Amino acid sequence: MSHRLTCHCGAVELAVDLTDGLNTARRCNCSFCARRGAIAVSAPLNGVRIVKGSDKLTLYQWGTNTAKHYFCSVCGNYTHHQRRSNPNEFGVNAAALEGVNPADLGDVPWADGINHPADR
Ligand SMILES: [Zn+2]
């Protein structure tokens, strides 16, 4: 089942096939994600398709420049990112998925991005 993901202003729209629905929901405490504050769910690399707004998506990279964090250049919303912990996977902004209320996700587990596995 494909999910529709939109940024706030609607400039960017993705079609997303999740790895395991919302069961993969995670927060992360690394210096970037902690500030962003988003809940991410997993999708395979071929599970994210840009429906519109590829010219509006902006890429942010930092540190080892492994992860690729994408966001809308108009409204600033985080849409998805290619993971550093598993570059064969995207993290997707759960709250930007159509019909998902992040308050319904309950107590979302934290990934320990401060002690990232790629740093050990
Ligand atoms: Zn936007």
Side-chain angles (χ1 to χ4, degrees):
M1 171 191 162
S2 272
H3 296 262
R4 183 168 175 259
L5 181 151
T6 55
C7 68
H8 189 260
C9 73
V12 177
E13 181 181 334
L14 309 179
V16 180
D17 294 308
L18 297 173
T19 304
D20 184 21
L22 300 174
N23 295 320
T24 57
R26 292 286 182 280
R27 297 180 186 276
C28 175
N29 64 2
C30 85
S31 60
F32 180 67
C33 297
R35 285 168 172 78
R36 180 174 62 191
I39 298 170
V41 288
S42 300
L45 288 191
N46 63 5
V48 173
R49 189 168 57 85
I50 299 171
V51 176
K52 68 170 181 173
S54 57
D55 58 323
K56 297 292 193 299
L57 276 176
T58 295
L59 173 64
Y60 179 64
Q61 293 187 276
W62 58 282
T64 62
N65 290 315
T66 309
K68 294 181 168 73
H69 297 275
Y70 295 97
F71 63 98
C72 173
S73 60
V74 180
C75 67
N77 272 185
Y78 154 60
T79 53
H80 64 303
H81 72 286
Q82 189 171 0
R83 290 199 159 127
R84 180 181 171 212
S85 58
N86 180 0
N88 295 313
E89 203 172 68
F90 282 121
V92 167
N93 184 356
L97 294 168
E98 195 168 66
V100 172
N101 178 348
D104 292 339
L105 294 176
D107 202 6
V108 175
W110 286 87
D112 190 10
I114 291 176
N115 302 295
H116 197 280
D119 292 332
R120 289 198 283 266

